[in-house]
Amino acid sequence: QVQLVEFGGGLVQAGGSLRLSCAASGHTFSRHTMGWFRQSKEKEREFVASISWSGDTTYYASSVKGRFTISRDNAVNTVYLQMDSLKPEDTAVYYCAADHGIYYSGTRQFVNEYEYWGQGTQVTVSS
């Protein structure tokens, strides 16, 4: 069982930056592919970025590639999402997610590939 808690959301002006953190409980964090998703009003939850258990493989949605960076620190059970050059369309609730924890080295971009979810943190980008 993995419990995830996100931190770092808030209000920022367009062009600004935010860094989201997701802290995981338990002793299996280093086995899991981790992902960030987001959901805005009247839209389905969409993939943002993922990172493999080792950190060697990252994958980004085309809408954030070049602006967002996902990273992880297995020593402190935390995954991060650095968001730069933010746009109003980035406004959403951002969710952290973990897969089943089987040392998967590929990419995971679909909601049903993840087993554990955080409660979400609101990011609002003003124009």
Side-chain angles (χ1 to χ4, degrees):
Q1 188 78 10
V2 177
Q3 292 184 324
L4 304 172
V5 180
E6 299 96 339
F7 302 93
L11 174 64
V12 64
Q13 288 188 332
S17 298
L18 278 176
R19 188 193 197 201
L20 304 183
S21 302
C22 172
S25 66
H27 304 287
T28 64
F29 179 77
S30 62
R31 304 177 191 173
H32 296 267
T33 291
M34 300 299 296
W36 286 97
F37 288 74
R38 66 187 182 187
Q39 188 168 16
S40 52
K41 289 183 180 180
E42 301 177 354
K43 289 188 177 180
E44 293 186 353
R45 193 166 296 189
E46 66 172 358
F47 171 77
V48 175
S50 69
I51 186 167
S52 62
W53 66 273
S54 64
D56 289 344
T57 302
T58 58
Y59 185 64
Y60 297 91
S62 57
S63 58
V64 306
K65 194 171 185 179
R67 300 188 298 121
F68 291 10
T69 303
I70 189 171
S71 61
R72 67 188 296 161
D73 186 343
N74 288 345
V76 295
N77 286 7
T78 302
V79 62
Y80 306 96
L81 185 69
Q82 177 67 42
M83 305 186 294
D84 299 319
S85 302
L86 282 161
K87 304 175 181 179
E89 51 263 44
D90 294 319
T91 295
V93 177
Y94 283 71
Y95 297 91
C96 170
D99 76 351
H100 299 78
I102 55 171
Y103 293 110
Y104 181 68
S105 296
T107 60
R108 295 198 187 279
Q109 61 175 310
F110 300 105
V111 170
N112 61 8
E113 294 183 294
Y114 291 86
E115 184 171 4
Y116 305 101
W117 293 84
Q119 82 290 346
T121 186
Q122 177 70 47
V123 172
T124 303
V125 184
S126 63
S127 57

